[in-house]
Amino acid sequence: MLVSGSFVIFEVRKQNNTITPTDMAKVVYKSYNQNDNLLFPHCIGDFIPENDPVRVLDAIVEHLDISAIEATYKGGGASSFAPRMLLKVILYAYLQNIHSGRKMEALLKRDVNFMWLSGMQRPDFNTINLFRKNRLADVMDDIFTQVVQMLVDARFVSLEVQYIDGTKIEANANKYTFVWKKATKTNQDKLDLKVKSILREAERVLNMELKDESDNVMTAEEMQKRTDDILAQMDEKGIIDKKLRKEVTKVKDESVPKMKEYEEKLEIVGERGSYSKTDKDATFMRMKEDAMNNGQTKPGYNVQIATENQFITNYGLYHHANDQGTMIPFLKSFNERYGTQSTTVCADSGYGSEMNYEYMVSNQITPFVKYNMFHAEMKRKRRKNAFLIENMFYNKELDFYVCPMGQHLEFVKQIKEKSDLGYESTKSVYRAKDCSRCPLRSMCYKGKYNARIIEVNHRNNELRAMARELLISDEGLRHRSRRPIEPEAVFGQIKYDNHFKRFSYRGKRLVNAEFAAIAVAHNIRKMIAKGYCVCSEVAVG
């Protein structure tokens, strides 16, 4: 051992033919200095692989026409961030399942892909959110359409077929701040009856001309004028009836504002059954994704999509809780978006109705759309049941049915029925002469009358027979087997893989734009997975 200054140096030698530390090669470390300045800084793009998804997204956005966004800028004043750059950052964030403006701001400072997209610029979360709300919201639908047109050009989709389905997505609203149309109308009617009684009594005491009151509810304006007239007459005639004056004054101070409140609520709710006070465009619906597992209602939107090869080709947000009332406006929106209509539509039994079949047939659309009894009719037990209307013999020429015992059910009349959606259908009523002595009566029907009465919608039956033939054909079986892996799989990817189960924005305008961004991100994700590339002028797959 050698001692040198403050250091102690050990001399290690070979012992018993073993390798000692002095015989080992010298370890060399790479130069590491965090404060070292580079003479030639690295290009950020060098850190991003050529086939990285961020490059595909960048090329896609470069090919988009964003003149509608640029038109929202007035010019003058301080310089603005480039709208195309902001659009790239937002869409790439949605591609990474990031929807928060604050998270986007943070990633612009530390994520190399975001830095490359933004050109090292760092817009804060407020700038990003204002861009989304004020400039992008009204244009996002057009951007979605442009991306789908790229898919058509690349022959990923043809727009010839639509696989349609819907799901309910929760709104960004308080589920306890609800307004129900039925309860509001009931309270309005009660208030109207109470106020009319008070004002009628006051007019009788004052010998005023009695109003011709109709069954319609008084408006707040009418109530205000009538109350002012009564109070003016009381002052003019000097009638002092403290109790009556107090009641009339209470009508003016409390009932009139309450009536205005009811009118405003009914105007907001419109054709819907309810709305949320914190998002007045959201309607209360039963959600499948319910933490309590009791099917409670929550404010939300019924989101409809059409897919082809798992690409979203159309979308729409509706307040109808069921899917039946959304199909016609949804198909119309597809036609408005692309200027053409698909020749084939495939959907589940939630869409199968006379109204929807009529629309599709009249617009030359082949409907591979189930109706609610389709699977039940395929079962042998139902086909063998001779007492069911569809299994009875029908003489179309003489217009009568024959029951299993041979008795005729003769035509009685036609009735018109109007659905909640405003569609009017026609039913024919048939009646047997006498079933009181029939030995099979208990098996035939359970009614209290001595003659069986049936109602038949012939047009609906014709349309269902047409749909049934289509559905059991080879093409129908192919579409039916594909439908579960089309829109249902897409919803699964959006809601569970990408964790989007609740909207971040409020109001249909912003919510619609938010889902458009989700749909664009989904389509770009699929394009990348299928090896999509963008050349200088033409996009090819």
Side-chain angles (χ1 to χ4, degrees):
M1 179 178 69
L2 301 176
V3 180
S4 176
S6 59
F7 297 95
V8 178
I9 302 174
F10 289 89
E11 183 178 1
V12 183
R13 295 185 174 86
K14 291 183 181 179
Q15 295 179 358
N16 300 326
N17 295 324
T18 60
I19 299 175
T20 59
T22 55
D23 297 323
M24 293 176 64
K26 184 179 179 181
V27 179
V28 180
Y29 296 103
K30 293 184 182 294
S31 176
Y32 174 68
N33 186 347
Q34 290 177 290
N35 298 318
D36 190 18
N37 293 322
L38 297 174
L39 180 61
F40 297 105
H42 285 291
C43 176
I44 300 178
D46 294 341
F47 299 106
I48 302 174
E50 288 297 324
N51 61 345
D52 194 279
V54 71
R55 292 188 179 275
V56 180
L57 178 133
D58 177 74
I60 289 172
V61 177
E62 284 293 335
H63 281 71
L64 294 177
D65 177 10
I66 63 167
S67 57
I69 302 177
E70 294 171 338
T72 62
Y73 291 86
K74 295 181 180 179
S79 60
S80 303
F81 286 104
R84 198 177 294 273
M85 178 272 288
L86 290 171
L87 179 60
K88 290 177 182 179
V89 168
I90 291 170
L91 289 182
Y92 186 66
Y94 275 82
L95 200 64
Q96 303 299 315
N97 304 325
I98 298 165
H99 311 137
S100 165
R102 290 183 183 273
K103 289 183 179 180
M104 294 180 201
E105 178 187 0
L107 289 169
L108 283 166
K109 298 175 183 177
R110 67 169 184 258
D111 187 286
V112 66
N113 286 358
F114 279 90
M115 291 178 182
W116 178 72
L117 281 177
S118 66
M120 290 300 291
Q121 295 180 9
R122 295 177 176 179
D124 60 16
F125 75 92
N126 196 40
T127 301
I128 294 171
N129 289 338
L130 287 175
F131 178 79
R132 284 197 285 188
K133 289 181 180 180
N134 300 336
R135 304 190 189 279
L136 193 58
D138 296 325
V139 185
M140 201 64 229
D141 188 68
D142 178 63
I143 290 172
F144 167 80
T145 305
Q146 290 187 57
V147 172
V148 176
Q149 290 291 358
M150 286 185 180
L151 293 172
V152 175
D153 295 339
R155 293 188 287 277
F156 283 128
V157 298
S158 65
L159 302 183
E160 290 297 319
V161 60
Q162 294 183 68
Y163 294 94
I164 299 175
D165 201 4
T167 191
K168 298 177 183 68
I169 298 181
E170 189 177 348
N172 181 13
N174 189 328
K175 64 182 179 180
Y176 299 111
T177 58
F178 46 77
V179 174
W180 298 100
K181 181 178 182 178
K182 187 175 181 181
T184 303
K185 192 71 177 71
T186 300
N187 292 333
Q188 187 189 45
D189 292 339
K190 288 180 179 179
L191 180 62
D192 179 68
L193 290 174
K194 180 181 177 181
V195 168
K196 281 180 178 177
S197 176
I198 294 171
L199 299 184
R200 194 182 303 114
E201 176 62 20
E203 289 167 345
R204 187 188 64 78
V205 171
L206 294 168
N207 294 320
M208 294 174 65
E209 182 181 354
L210 297 177
K211 305 289 184 182
D212 293 331
E213 294 176 345
S214 64
D215 293 334
N216 295 331
V217 175
M218 272 195 303
T219 65
E221 186 179 352
E222 292 171 345
M223 193 182 294
Q224 177 77 51
K225 185 178 182 304
R226 193 169 170 184
T227 306
D228 289 340
D229 291 343
I230 292 172
L231 290 173
Q233 285 292 320
M234 283 184 172
D235 293 336
E236 182 180 334
K237 295 181 179 180
I239 297 177
I240 301 174
D241 187 336
K242 291 183 178 181
K243 183 179 179 181
L244 186 59
R245 178 180 285 274
K246 182 178 179 181
E247 289 180 341
V248 175
T249 304
K250 189 175 180 180
V251 168
K252 179 180 179 181
D253 296 339
E254 297 181 12
S255 299
V256 172
K258 199 68 179 175
M259 185 60 75
K260 285 182 180 177
E261 180 187 330
Y262 290 147
E263 289 174 353
E264 289 172 358
K265 288 180 177 180
L266 291 172
E267 184 179 357
I268 292 170
V269 75
E271 298 177 353
R272 297 177 290 164
S274 61
Y275 72 88
S276 171
K277 292 179 182 178
T278 46
D279 182 356
K280 294 179 181 178
D281 290 332
T283 306
F284 278 80
M285 306 175 182
R286 295 197 181 277
M287 302 283 179
K288 290 182 180 178
E289 295 81 16
D290 180 12
M292 302 297 291
N293 292 321
N294 59 4
Q296 62 177 296
T297 57
K298 294 180 181 178
Y301 295 89
N302 187 350
V303 179
Q304 298 287 314
I305 63 170
T307 68
E308 184 181 353
N309 295 329
Q310 290 196 358
F311 289 99
I312 301 175
T313 56
N314 193 24
Y315 72 94
L317 277 69
Y318 301 92
H319 64 260
H320 297 288
N322 62 359
D323 294 331
Q324 193 178 108
T326 66
M327 174 164 263
I328 293 176
F330 185 74
L331 292 175
K332 287 180 178 178
S333 71
F334 186 95
N335 191 32
E336 291 169 1
R337 186 183 297 278
Y338 303 111
T340 185
Q341 186 59 266
S342 301
T343 56
T344 301
V345 166
C346 183
D348 62 19
S349 59
Y351 300 87
S353 68
E354 180 185 353
M355 175 181 68
N356 291 337
Y357 286 135
E358 284 282 18
Y359 179 84
M360 287 184 280
V361 170
S362 63
N363 286 275
Q364 291 77 51
I365 300 172
T366 306
F368 293 94
V369 179
K370 296 178 186 177
Y371 48 90
N372 55 4
M373 295 299 292
F374 171 73
H375 289 291
E377 289 177 358
M378 296 295 104
K379 294 180 180 179
R380 182 182 301 175
K381 182 178 179 180
R382 186 175 180 88
R383 295 201 306 269
K384 296 290 185 179
N385 190 341
F387 299 101
L388 295 176
I389 297 172
E390 62 262 30
N391 295 330
M392 290 184 183
F393 173 77
Y394 174 60
N395 188 317
K396 188 174 182 180
E397 183 180 352
L398 299 178
D399 195 16
F400 66 83
Y401 281 84
V402 180
C403 78
M405 288 298 291
Q407 185 174 184
H408 288 194
L409 283 80
E410 303 287 349
F411 172 79
V412 178
K413 61 180 179 179
Q414 281 189 339
I415 57 176
K416 302 282 187 180
E417 290 185 353
K418 183 173 284 190
S419 69
D420 295 337
L421 300 170
Y423 181 78
E424 188 176 86
S425 59
T426 303
K427 287 186 177 181
S428 298
V429 180
Y430 298 85
R431 181 187 177 102
K433 290 183 179 179
D434 185 12
C435 300
S436 59
R437 298 181 181 180
C438 179
L440 303 179
R441 182 186 185 284
S442 60
M443 300 172 62
C444 186
Y445 74 103
K446 305 296 183 183
K448 62 182 179 180
Y449 301 105
N450 289 328
R452 184 177 180 181
I453 300 173
I454 60 174
E455 295 179 359
V456 181
N457 187 332
H458 290 293
R459 180 55 181 163
N460 190 38
N461 289 345
E462 291 173 6
L463 292 168
R464 287 191 173 197
M466 173 207 65
R468 183 167 57 251
E469 291 301 316
L470 287 170
L471 289 165
I472 62 177
S473 66
D474 291 340
E475 187 180 2
L477 292 171
R478 179 174 63 83
H479 283 302
R480 284 166 55 193
S481 64
R482 183 155 186 81
R483 190 195 64 79
I485 62 173
E486 278 283 347
E488 291 184 13
V490 170
F491 276 134
Q493 292 159 12
I494 289 174
K495 297 177 79 171
Y496 296 99
D497 295 349
N498 304 329
H499 311 292
F500 184 80
K501 296 183 180 180
R502 192 171 190 261
F503 288 107
S504 302
Y505 287 95
R506 295 177 178 178
K508 190 171 182 180
R509 172 179 168 270
L510 295 177
V511 166
N512 191 79
E514 185 176 6
F515 191 80
I518 293 292
V520 169
H522 171 84
N523 284 346
I524 293 176
R525 192 179 290 111
K526 289 288 182 183
M527 293 162 75
I528 293 168
K530 291 180 180 292
Y532 185 86
C533 68
V534 181
C535 302
S536 58
E537 293 295 334
V538 181
V540 294

